[in-house]
Amino acid sequence: MRNIATTTSLLALLLTATPAALAIEPDGPHLDFAKRNAAAWASEDADINQKLAALEERFGKKPNIVYILTDDIGWGELGWQGGGKHRGTPSAELDAMAFEGMRLWSAYAEPSCTPTRIALNTGRHPVRTGLLSVLWPGMEDGLSEDEVTIAEILSEEGYNTAMWGKWHLGDLPEHAPENQGYDYAYYGLFNGAPDYWQASYEDKSGTFPFADFPGYETYKERTGIDLSIAGYVGRKGEGRSPIEGDAGILSPERQEAFENESIAQITDYVKDHANDDDPFFIYWASYALQIAPSQEFLDAPGVDKNNRQASFMMLHNKHVKQLLDTLKSEGIAENTLVVWISDNGPMYAFYPTSGYTLLQGSKGELLEGGIRVPAMAWWPGMIEPGQDPADMLHVTDLYTTAARLGGAMDNIPNDRITDGVDQTSLFLNGEGHGRRNFMAHYSGPVLGALRYEDFKIHIKEAQGGLPGMDFYNVKRDPGEKYGKLYPGLFAVAPMQKLLGSHMGRVQQFPHRQPMTPQDETLTAHD
């Protein structure tokens, strides 16, 4: 895939200066940042290696890793960011987790659900993988078998790997988690919308959101799309079987049943593997918060009854507490990193059932409200509690950080770009030790925005020879209320250099071709 002859002179300079310790192929701006900080990072890494070695000697294995990915929860929605009970969505247990660890105020995801799942599982922007859009029932696209997932690289180091939740990376068997590195998977195929399709058809009042859905039988006759199976239980090398009971049948009640069964299995899994010789990796892609309510908490004190997500937030709080309590009771909390992050900003389509953000924008947009998300990291004894760093973190960083902690960096392929950077130093050393100063924000195949340190530009069509951009200082103006061209004229040349470095790496490592040609899709086109 490499084509050195086509790279720019700037890219060639960066490549010759690549630190020897980098076994992976980062994006161009990250190469430059690593070069400038090589000596400081080498010293930090030596200390980190000592800390991790001491931990491994104490527990006899690498650390366990748990990633919790949630759905459509906006920046500002949780209590520690000003939401929680003050917005009718109590989040006491999540807030407790945040204050026991690190609150990440500058965490970012992709702008929608399938893209963020790609980014977490591969450490790469979706545009690089050929899977560019949110998947819907009946689509044949999915995560390419040639992508190397976080489960695959950790499995090579002996990790037990398991996932629960909303997979949403392809319906076909070749795209399924049990064929993408996970030893065990209990997963739903779709997002939360199809749970209401048949209910909307059967409801004659017209109050449900999908009133024109023709019913399962007619839909299958017309389209060939069968919605009778909502999810599967998969085991590596053994295939999969449909989930039985309410958790496996599309309906407004499915998500609560699915989540209740998931946390029961997750806590059992932790107990079963707590004393194993090998560590575990859990990817929990929770259905919190889709559009379904939790019947258990619908009438709970402080819950906004007209926002179905509010009751589900209470359910999720209960489940996260169960997980953390299990880690503590099993005596493995100090050997387990838990990271909680949302997959994108809120979706207002079914308001007042929705998340919320104080930022401009929402799910699907590259404004801060669409991509800046709440996140926190919890690791007793390793992450000092009460921290709130301003350092940037991107969801792709979770891939590379897990590889570092699991001793799997050499398992990351170097025939492609890995966008995630190792953030172990941020977690263990705190504010100012993050290793990211740049982000590229894509909408499908379109590069729509860049962030460098505190500055962000939205890329627009140039007019009359003037630069095509709106410029923001998102530290001063996180709501992006005051974006203009002229205050950012000093940033035009530096941003163009960053853009050239980024695109030069695309030339060297071209994107994977989409399964479905872009002119045959309904997603954003070049």
Side-chain angles (χ1 to χ4, degrees):
M1 295 175 64
R2 303 190 183 197
N3 186 358
I4 303 295
T6 62
T7 59
T8 64
S9 58
L10 171 63
L11 179 61
L13 175 62
L14 291 174
L15 287 175
T16 59
T18 302
L22 287 175
I24 62 175
E25 292 287 357
D27 197 358
H30 299 318
L31 279 172
D32 182 55
F33 194 42
K35 173 193 170 186
R36 288 188 280 120
N37 290 279
W41 289 2
S43 177
E44 287 181 357
D45 287 341
D47 291 339
I48 289 170
N49 289 340
Q50 288 184 353
K51 289 181 183 178
L52 294 176
L55 189 73
E56 186 170 355
E57 183 176 0
R58 176 183 169 193
F59 286 94
K61 56 187 173 183
K62 300 287 188 185
N64 306 305
I65 302 168
V66 179
Y67 287 163
I68 305 172
L69 182 67
T70 55
D71 223 278
D72 298 357
I73 299 178
W75 190 93
E77 178 75 1
L78 300 183
W80 64 267
Q81 288 191 319
K85 68 179 183 180
H86 304 291
R87 211 187 77 80
T89 55
S91 58
E93 303 301 340
L94 293 174
D95 298 338
M97 174 190 173
F99 282 100
E100 289 176 11
M102 178 178 283
R103 291 159 284 146
L104 294 155
W105 287 84
S106 294
Y108 288 80
E110 297 291 325
S112 55
C113 37
T114 297
T116 288
R117 283 157 178 75
I118 298 166
L120 188 152
N121 274 279
T122 68
R124 285 153 52 81
H125 289 307
V127 67
R128 301 194 195 277
T129 72
L131 184 56
L132 303 176
S133 60
V134 174
L135 298 178
W136 301 98
M139 296 178 80
E140 296 184 357
D141 299 57
L143 185 63
S144 169
E145 63 182 9
D146 293 324
E147 290 297 323
V148 179
T149 69
I150 191 170
E152 288 172 321
I153 63 171
L154 291 175
S155 291
E156 289 188 45
E157 298 305 314
Y159 272 74
N160 298 296
T161 58
M163 76 83 55
W164 285 265
K166 182 179 133 184
W167 178 239
H168 211 188
L169 291 176
D171 301 357
L172 301 179
E174 57 264 35
H175 304 138
E178 67 271 14
N179 293 318
Q180 295 280 2
Y182 290 95
D183 299 326
Y184 175 82
Y186 181 88
Y187 60 101
L189 293 173
F190 317 126
N191 64 17
D195 282 310
Y196 276 81
W197 289 0
Q198 183 70 10
S200 297
Y201 167 73
E202 294 173 355
D203 176 65
K204 304 305 179 186
S205 68
T207 58
F208 276 40
F210 307 103
D212 289 326
F213 182 73
Y216 286 154
E217 292 184 8
T218 301
Y219 189 68
K220 184 176 179 180
E221 290 175 4
R222 292 177 179 175
T223 67
I225 299 171
D226 184 357
L227 296 173
S228 63
I229 298 174
Y232 289 95
V233 178
R235 292 178 173 83
K236 187 186 293 184
E238 299 179 20
R240 64 184 184 178
S241 57
I243 293 174
E244 297 179 355
D246 291 343
I249 300 172
L250 291 175
S251 76
E253 295 72 42
R254 180 187 70 88
Q255 292 170 35
E256 184 167 24
F258 186 100
E259 290 291 297
N260 283 330
E261 176 61 22
S262 291
I263 192 58
Q265 290 189 21
I266 290 169
T267 52
D268 284 346
Y269 185 90
V270 169
K271 294 173 185 176
D272 291 343
H273 292 278
N275 296 314
D276 279 3
D277 291 337
D278 296 317
F280 58 75
F281 168 67
I282 291 174
Y283 167 48
W284 177 16
S286 173
Y287 274 95
L289 303 167
Q290 290 278 313
I291 60 176
S294 164
Q295 295 299 324
E296 179 181 354
F297 291 102
L298 202 55
D299 296 317
V303 168
D304 181 354
K305 297 177 178 58
N306 292 318
N307 177 5
R308 291 189 295 271
Q309 288 191 356
S311 59
F312 218 89
M313 177 73 86
M314 290 284 287
L315 180 71
H316 183 60
N317 265 258
K318 172 186 172 181
H319 290 167
V320 171
K321 183 178 188 301
Q322 287 179 264
L323 169 61
L324 300 185
D325 285 349
T326 302
L327 294 171
K328 292 173 183 177
S329 65
E330 293 298 316
I332 59 172
E334 294 186 10
N335 198 41
T336 305
L337 167 66
V338 182
V339 178
W340 184 103
I341 189 170
S342 179
D343 66 347
N344 46 247
M347 180 174 69
Y348 296 125
F350 306 110
Y351 185 86
T353 289
S354 75
Y356 195 78
T357 182
L358 300 174
L359 304 176
Q360 186 178 181
S362 59
K363 179 177 182 174
E365 297 181 282
L366 299 184
L367 292 162
E368 293 288 282
I371 53 177
R372 193 168 181 172
V373 294
M376 53 256 199
W378 181 93
W379 193 353
M382 295 295 282
I383 293 178
E384 184 178 341
Q387 297 184 78
D388 61 347
D391 302 64
M392 289 188 286
L393 177 139
H394 190 268
V395 67
T396 53
D397 299 345
L398 300 184
Y399 177 94
T400 313
T401 304
R404 165 73 181 281
L405 294 173
M409 290 294 286
D410 289 343
N411 300 335
I412 298 177
N414 61 6
D415 63 347
R416 65 197 69 183
I417 295 296
T418 297
D419 293 292
V421 301
D422 172 24
Q423 295 281 24
T424 305
S425 186
L426 172 60
F427 290 161
L428 300 191
N429 295 325
E431 185 162 30
H433 294 278
R435 296 193 175 178
R436 174 178 288 279
N437 71 342
F438 168 83
M439 279 183 289
H441 298 299
Y442 279 86
S443 177
V446 179
L447 179 60
L450 297 174
R451 178 173 173 179
Y452 177 74
E453 297 182 349
D454 294 336
F455 304 134
K456 180 180 177 184
I457 64 165
H458 286 271
I459 301 170
K460 302 166 59 177
E461 184 176 350
Q463 294 185 350
L466 292 171
M469 71 177 200
D470 285 334
F471 171 85
Y472 299 88
N473 181 320
V474 290
K475 182 175 184 178
R476 181 188 307 125
D477 177 25
E480 292 172 297
K481 297 178 181 179
Y482 302 102
K484 296 179 180 179
L485 167 62
Y486 289 101
L489 290 179
F490 70 91
V492 172
M495 285 292 190
Q496 285 189 170
K497 287 182 178 179
L498 288 169
L499 179 60
S501 176
H502 173 73
M503 298 310 297
R505 292 293 264 172
V506 174
Q507 283 187 319
Q508 189 187 11
F509 297 96
H511 301 329
R512 194 181 306 283
Q513 290 299 308
M515 289 182 62
T516 301
Q518 274 295 288
D519 58 3
E520 298 177 18
T521 73
L522 299 177
T523 58
H525 293 186
D526 282 322

